[in-house]
């Protein structure tokens, strides 16, 4: 069903939107609920799925399997706002590509139970989290910087154990991961920014830690966080530094 003002809602019993060759999305608001891949381009080693803008929200949780966004060739994200949630019951990825995934701009949240490597030749930094225990659907995960100032918080509509996150404001450094019960801030889709308040922060164990990637970074082998239970972080208060919290350090 299509709506006015550039909005498209797709409810599919199989794949949501598919192409036998290439696909380019340059704008609009697209919401896809599917029982298989929400978006798919299927020509082996050739197809290029390009996102240049718009808001794209993909939920592949209505069947037994499915990637959020899948290409048998390449995925290139240059701009826009992309939330891609793979099926929580299968070993699928938020973004999955046979030839390469490139994040050059925009905001990307891709959740699933498998990590399909994002290219280190991407022009924008990205983060990868692998969790010891799956994060359940609609649970909030918050990222804070080395001073425990919140950077972002997000939730996914399906359970996941791996998430890729990228936004223009990401920088290299030390970060903390917390599960929180509620968040106050600016909400776009299921991603919060400009966070002013949060509740019940509990640090999460990352099975493979936290790593940054991007131009010339090459990803690297992530560190495993210290498993000692941290204290609960204080709520954000300007530029105040926080103490006594275990950290997870980015690697190159």
């Amino acid at each position: 069903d299509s709506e006015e003002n550039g909005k498209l809602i797709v409810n599919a019993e199989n794949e949501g939107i598919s192409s036998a060759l290439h696909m380019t999305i340059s704008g609009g608001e697209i919401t896809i609920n599917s029982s298989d891949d929400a978006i798919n381009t299927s020509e082996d080693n050739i197809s290029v799925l390009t996102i240049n803008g718009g808001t794209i929200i993909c939920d592949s949780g209505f069947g037994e399997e499915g990637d959020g966004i899948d290409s048998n060739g390449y995925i290139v994200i240059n701009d826009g706002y992309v939330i891609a949630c793979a099926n929580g019951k299968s070993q699928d990825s938020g973004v999955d590509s046979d030839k390469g995934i490139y994040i050059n701009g925009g905001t990307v949240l891709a959740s699933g139970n498998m990590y399909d490597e994002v290219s280190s030749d991407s022009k924008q930094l990205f983060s990868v989290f692998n969790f010891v225990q799956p994060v359940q659907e609609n649970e909030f995960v918050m990222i804070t910087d080395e001073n425990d100032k919140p950077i972002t918080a997000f939730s996914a509509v399906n359970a996941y154990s791996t998430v890729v996150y990228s936004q223009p404001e990401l920088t290299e450094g030390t970060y903390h991961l917390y599960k929180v019960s509620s968040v106050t801030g600016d909400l776009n889709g299921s991603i919060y920014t400009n966070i002013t308040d949060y509740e019940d922060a509990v640090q999460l164990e990352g099975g493979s830690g936290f790593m940054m990637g991007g131009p010339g970074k090459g990803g690297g082998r992530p560190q495993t966080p210290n498993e000692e239970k941290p204290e609960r972080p204080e709520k954000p208060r300007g530029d105040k530094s926080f103490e006594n919290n275990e950290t997870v350090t980015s690697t190159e």
Side-chain angles (χ1 to χ4, degrees):
D1 299 326
S2 61
E3 297 181 0
E4 60 183 4
N5 299 322
K7 295 183 179 180
L8 175 67
I9 298 174
V10 177
N11 297 310
E13 295 182 357
N14 195 358
E15 292 182 341
I17 299 175
S18 62
S19 170
L21 190 54
H22 306 309
M23 184 188 305
T24 299
I25 299 172
S26 296
E29 298 180 24
I30 303 172
T31 300
I32 304 167
N33 305 304
S34 64
S35 297
D36 203 336
D37 303 335
I39 298 177
N40 176 269
T41 53
S42 60
E43 184 69 17
D44 289 347
N45 304 318
I46 294 176
S47 287
V48 180
L49 170 58
T50 305
I51 299 175
N52 292 324
T55 297
I56 299 95
I57 299 176
C58 301
D59 178 1
S60 301
F62 290 84
E64 297 301 317
E65 62 180 7
D67 297 307
I69 297 174
D70 176 60
S71 175
N72 288 11
Y74 301 86
I75 295 174
V76 181
I77 301 174
N78 294 318
D79 202 353
Y81 188 87
V82 180
I83 298 176
C85 301
N87 193 296
K89 295 175 286 188
S90 59
Q91 293 299 308
D92 285 307
S93 301
V95 284
D96 178 53
S97 170
D98 290 348
K99 297 296 289 183
I101 300 167
Y102 299 85
I103 300 176
N104 299 323
T107 297
V108 179
L109 171 64
S111 63
N113 290 316
M114 185 179 72
Y115 172 52
D116 195 28
E117 185 174 357
V118 179
S119 175
S120 61
D121 290 330
S122 296
K123 295 180 181 179
Q124 181 168 286
L125 289 170
F126 58 89
S127 53
V128 182
F129 305 85
N130 294 301
F131 297 102
V132 173
Q133 298 295 329
V135 179
Q136 298 304 309
E137 60 272 15
N138 300 317
E139 288 185 332
F140 290 114
V141 170
M142 182 175 69
I143 306 174
T144 68
D145 66 14
E146 60 186 6
N147 295 318
D148 261 333
K149 179 181 179 180
I151 296 173
T152 187
F154 50 77
S155 64
V157 294
N158 302 316
Y160 62 90
S161 57
T162 297
V163 67
V164 174
Y165 184 76
S166 182
Q167 67 178 50
E169 295 78 12
L170 278 183
T171 59
E172 293 182 83
T174 299
Y175 291 84
H176 310 245
L177 306 177
Y178 295 95
K179 184 183 293 185
V180 293
S181 62
S182 64
V183 184
T184 302
D186 296 337
L187 178 64
N188 189 353
S190 59
I191 299 176
Y192 283 89
T193 55
N194 300 319
I195 295 169
T196 58
D197 198 8
Y198 55 86
E199 298 290 339
D200 304 321
V202 177
Q203 191 170 28
L204 288 167
E205 291 183 32
S208 296
F210 179 94
M211 65 179 178
M212 300 292 294
K217 306 304 175 186
R221 185 177 184 275
Q223 294 181 342
T224 299
N226 191 312
E227 294 183 358
E228 181 180 346
K229 185 177 180 180
E231 295 181 11
R232 183 190 184 278
E234 297 181 39
K235 292 183 180 178
R237 297 174 183 171
D239 294 328
K240 174 179 172 62
S241 296
F242 296 87
E243 300 176 350
N244 301 321
N245 291 299
E246 299 298 333
T247 63
V248 183
T249 304
S250 65
T251 60
E252 296 187 5

